[in-house]
Amino acid sequence: GFVLEIALQVVAKGLVLHEGSFLRSSWNVLDAIVVIMPLIGTLTGSSWGFFRVLRAMRALRPLLAISRSQGLKLVIITLIRVLPQISGAVLLMLSVFFTYSILGVQLFQGK
């Protein structure tokens, strides 16, 4: 599915050299990494830790949907831009969660 789509896009747009080529878009680079890296790990059949990590990248396949939806792209870009501004609130929430998790473990003694 996705491998064929990437192959067709590379044939239609070119790989790198042209103005609108496939790898000139960061979203297409992400798509290529998510599709090709686990494929390499699967084809080699190696049990090395590196290839296990590549196989774990299959979990990133839902990210392929982002590059197809303009609305989803806008949401992700906005979240990335806003992240520094909300980092204080995120740290506060994490400290509260951490405190209550320690309290819960002590209260229930790990049961």
Side-chain angles (χ1 to χ4, degrees), residues 50-62:
F50 175 70
F51 291 113
R52 287 185 191 153
V53 171
L54 293 179
R55 284 188 208 123
M57 286 184 69
R58 290 181 188 155
L60 298 176
R61 286 224 171 146

Side-chain angles (χ1 to χ4, degrees), residues 14-91:
L15 188 61
V16 180
L17 299 177
H18 302 292
E19 182 69 28
S21 63
F22 182 74
L23 290 180
R24 296 271 175 131
S25 168
S26 58
W27 293 102
N28 287 340
V29 171
L30 175 68
D31 288 350
I33 289 171
V34 168
V35 170
I36 292 172
M37 289 302 196
L39 187 63
I40 291 171
T42 303
L43 292 177
T44 59
S46 177
S47 61
W48 296 345
F50 175 70
F51 291 113
R52 287 185 191 153
V53 171
L54 293 179
R55 284 188 208 123
M57 286 184 69
R58 290 181 188 155
L60 298 176
R61 286 224 171 146
L63 293 177
L64 296 173
I66 293 173
S67 64
R68 290 172 183 79
S69 170
Q70 291 294 12
L72 214 48
K73 277 185 190 179
L74 182 64
V75 169
I76 297 298
I77 291 170
T78 304
L79 284 175
I80 290 171
R81 287 185 183 161
V82 170
L83 201 57
Q85 297 169 357
I86 63 170
S87 61
V90 169
L91 286 175

